[in-house]
Amino acid sequence: MGSDTRTGEIPEDTVDLRERRDPVRTLLRAAARGEQGAAASLVDVLGPRIHGLAVHVTGSSARAEKLTVSVLRSCLADAGELAASGLPGEVAVLDRARRACVATRPSGDVRSLVASDPADERTRDRRENEVLRVLLRLPASHRALVESAAQGRFDHTGSRRSEAAEVLAGVLDQLVPLGGPVHAEAQTLSALDALALADESERRRLQELSSSPAISAVRRRAIEAAAQLTLLTAIVPSRDLRPPVLEGVGPGPQPQPKPAPQPEPAYRGDYATPVLGTDSQRRVVGPPAMPGSLHTISAASSASPQTPTTDAAPPGDDARPTPAPAFSFRDGGSPAARGASGKRPRPEHGDRPAPRGVPWFSRAIAALALIGALLLAWFLLDARRELAAAHEFTSTWTELSVEPEAVLVPGLSDNGSWQAVITADAIALRAEGVSGYEGEVLQLWGEQDGVPTDLGVLELGRDGLVRATLAETAESLVVTREMAPRNRSGTPSERVVANLDPELTADPAPLGD
């Protein structure tokens, strides 16, 4: 354990970091004490790296967002445990995030970590340059292996698995020197475990080797090096994750102290009716006995039921005795009005009962009718909007078809029927019976002089309809499957859904002839 230093009023930890500051560890300790500001700072600092790693592993932004919220909530719940571990605070959180992401089924394509497009999505941490330099010095095959392993893909078996693990250990050693004795097996197993790629037998073997303090240090440094790779997979979430993560985090409301019980009021005087006081006073009919006073039954019985009488104050009491409380009854609530039977009198023929509210059943029927009317209006507006869009597309298709040099191109596809009209300055595309793909979009590419051009993502209707009009031209069209939200690399993927090339069709004569 290192010594704690202080900068102003913020304590900084230097545990096992060779006197380097560890602000994430400080935030974890503050979050463990229930400080909302520290928890929000943890989400802001580590949220993009956890979210980006989840996007690369799962291939879905929606699944990545849910996984990021779950990991951050678990880290805040165990903030004290993570702060007390032997790992730096940032590494401890990212190690938990990596193991949670790789535990899911990795899907989607493996993305390059050194390309220019992912660089726009990263957080531009100053430490990225060192990681990029290490990857760029590697051969192409080794770099592809490291990029796949950093995104949770490692399918090698047998002797190829050992060779690939040695390559991963060498790269991690360049990021953070593993040190320790020269033990090839310990380094390769530590590399696989740090990237959450080790199987059950490899984890058991590494556990046996970790009994040595030197090999345990190698394993810890390998986890630190694996955390450095998340600098290249960081992606800022599309929405603020603080509200879903911080919901319910922090100390709950403190219970309010119960007020001290107030003493019971003192009643004086003589009553002809029962005392309407506390539970202890309801047991008494009449005032309590007071020393030095005469309690006469005849005076109490002769008094009016609604007019209490008061005895003379005993000698030695205050000059102004406390007045007795007056009680009044309604006509229907007093015993005299109820009669001998103890029931309330029925209203006479001239009296009408108070009107009652509308029954709940009628209110429910009215609410359901209103909801049904709103839904029907919404469906009618949606149908009218779709009909107008269909009329507009049909008109555009007809206008383009009669233009000179317009070419009707049928598409080759096993997913629906595709057609396109290509003119000198516009394109119209339509398809029927197209099925969507989970987590993927349909992207249109145009080819002009052998150069592909991204024409955007196609919108797939509920009935498998695709209609698109573009103010561009191309020699041929290709529709591919791309990972959501879209492919921005400038090159279409190999998963072709439809090919609309005039050269592939028989005699694509111009429509204007």
Side-chain angles (χ1 to χ4, degrees):
M1 299 291 289
S3 60
D4 291 341
T5 61
R6 288 182 176 271
T7 304
E9 297 296 329
I10 304 176
E12 299 290 355
D13 301 311
T14 57
V15 180
D16 296 330
L17 294 179
R18 299 180 297 277
E19 298 304 323
R20 288 183 295 156
R21 293 178 178 176
D22 188 0
V24 176
R25 195 184 201 89
T26 302
L27 293 176
L28 286 172
R29 287 184 173 177
R33 295 193 297 268
E35 297 184 12
Q36 287 279 355
S41 298
L42 282 173
V43 176
D44 295 338
V45 171
L46 299 180
R49 296 175 67 177
I50 298 175
H51 177 262
L53 178 62
V55 169
H56 285 73
V57 173
T58 63
S60 171
S61 299
R63 292 178 58 192
E65 184 174 308
K66 295 180 181 179
L67 189 58
T68 304
V69 172
S70 176
V71 170
L72 286 173
R73 289 182 66 89
S74 69
C75 291
L76 291 179
D78 302 334
E81 178 183 347
L82 294 175
S85 66
L87 294 171
E90 180 183 61
V91 175
V93 175
L94 293 176
D95 180 60
R96 174 175 292 195
R98 178 178 293 278
R99 298 183 189 280
C101 293
V102 178
T104 63
R105 185 176 62 183
S107 57
D109 297 334
V110 176
R111 304 169 63 181
S112 175
L113 303 183
V114 297
S116 58
D117 289 342
D120 297 334
E121 301 175 350
R122 295 198 292 262
T123 56
R124 304 184 186 278
D125 193 295
R126 57 183 175 81
R127 297 171 292 177
E128 292 178 12
N129 296 331
E130 181 62 30
V131 183
L132 282 174
R133 279 194 291 267
V134 172
L135 292 183
L136 291 175
R137 285 196 297 262
L138 297 175
S141 58
H142 291 182
R143 186 192 311 156
L145 171 64
V146 174
E147 291 175 342
S148 300
Q151 300 175 53
R153 278 80 164 181
F154 191 77
D155 301 328
H156 301 284
T157 57
S159 59
R160 294 187 58 190
R161 185 177 182 87
S162 301
E163 296 174 359
E166 291 178 2
V167 173
L168 295 178
V171 174
L172 295 184
D173 184 65
Q174 295 182 51
L175 295 176
V176 176
L178 302 182
V182 179
H183 199 301
E185 183 183 10
Q187 291 183 353
T188 55
L189 293 178
S190 297
L192 292 177
D193 178 70
L195 294 170
L197 303 174
D199 56 24
E200 186 63 30
S201 60
E202 292 168 340
R203 285 194 294 269
R204 286 198 302 267
R205 177 57 180 164
L206 181 60
Q207 192 68 28
E208 296 173 359
L209 297 176
S210 298
S211 58
S212 170
I215 296 180
S216 179
V218 172
R219 182 181 182 184
R220 184 174 64 252
R221 296 189 186 98
I223 295 176
E224 293 185 30
Q228 296 293 325
L229 291 176
T230 59
L231 292 168
L232 302 185
T233 58
I235 298 177
V236 180
S238 58
R239 69 185 186 97
D240 189 7
L241 298 182
R242 282 179 291 182
V245 173
L246 301 181
E247 182 181 0
V249 177
Q254 299 296 330
Q256 298 294 334
K258 296 183 178 180
Q262 299 293 333
E264 296 181 355
Y267 287 87
R268 297 174 180 272
D270 189 8
Y271 299 87
T273 58
V275 176
L276 303 180
T278 61
D279 291 338
S280 61
Q281 294 164 347
R282 288 195 185 98
R283 306 188 189 100
V284 183
V285 178
M290 302 177 61
S293 65
L294 297 177
H295 184 69
T296 57
I297 298 179
S298 58
S301 61
S302 61
S304 172
Q306 298 183 5
T307 306
T309 60
T310 306
D311 290 339
D317 283 355
D318 297 337
R320 296 181 179 179
T322 304
F327 299 96
S328 61
F329 299 92
R330 294 178 297 179
D331 293 340
S334 61
R338 296 191 182 192
S341 61
K343 298 181 180 180
R344 295 179 180 271
R346 296 182 178 179
E348 298 180 358
H349 296 288
D351 298 335
R352 291 185 179 181
R356 297 182 178 179
V358 181
W360 65 269
F361 183 76
S362 301
R363 292 197 295 268
I365 293 296
L368 290 177
L370 179 60
I371 294 175
L374 293 176
L375 290 177
L376 179 60
W378 183 83
F379 283 125
L380 290 176
L381 290 176
D382 187 58
R384 184 174 181 180
R385 187 163 49 249
E386 290 185 358
L387 183 60
H391 284 318
E392 182 181 358
F393 178 79
T394 303
S395 176
T396 304
W397 180 279
T398 304
E399 293 176 0
L400 294 180
S401 300
V402 298
E403 287 188 9
E405 304 299 331
V407 179
L408 176 63
V409 183
L412 301 178
S413 175
D414 57 354
N415 187 359
S417 58
W418 297 76
Q419 279 186 321
V421 173
I422 301 178
T423 65
D425 54 358
I427 298 174
L429 175 70
R430 67 183 179 186
E432 298 179 355
V434 181
S435 302
Y437 303 93
E438 182 180 0
E440 295 179 328
V441 296
L442 300 177
Q443 193 163 346
L444 180 63
W445 302 83
E447 185 173 343
Q448 187 77 20
D449 298 330
V451 178
T453 303
D454 184 5
L455 299 182
V457 175
L458 298 177
E459 182 178 355
L460 181 60
R462 290 175 294 184
D463 300 332
L465 299 177
V466 175
R467 290 191 289 262
T469 305
L470 305 172
E472 300 184 34
T473 186
E475 296 177 354
S476 62
L477 301 175
V478 175
V479 181
T480 61
R481 295 165 49 190
E482 305 291 349
M483 186 174 64
R486 66 182 298 178
N487 181 2
R488 299 179 181 176
S489 64
T491 304
S493 68
E494 298 179 356
R495 297 173 295 178
V496 177
V497 178
N499 193 343
L500 297 95
D501 189 351
E503 297 182 358
L504 299 179
T505 58
D507 299 332
L511 295 178
D513 296 344

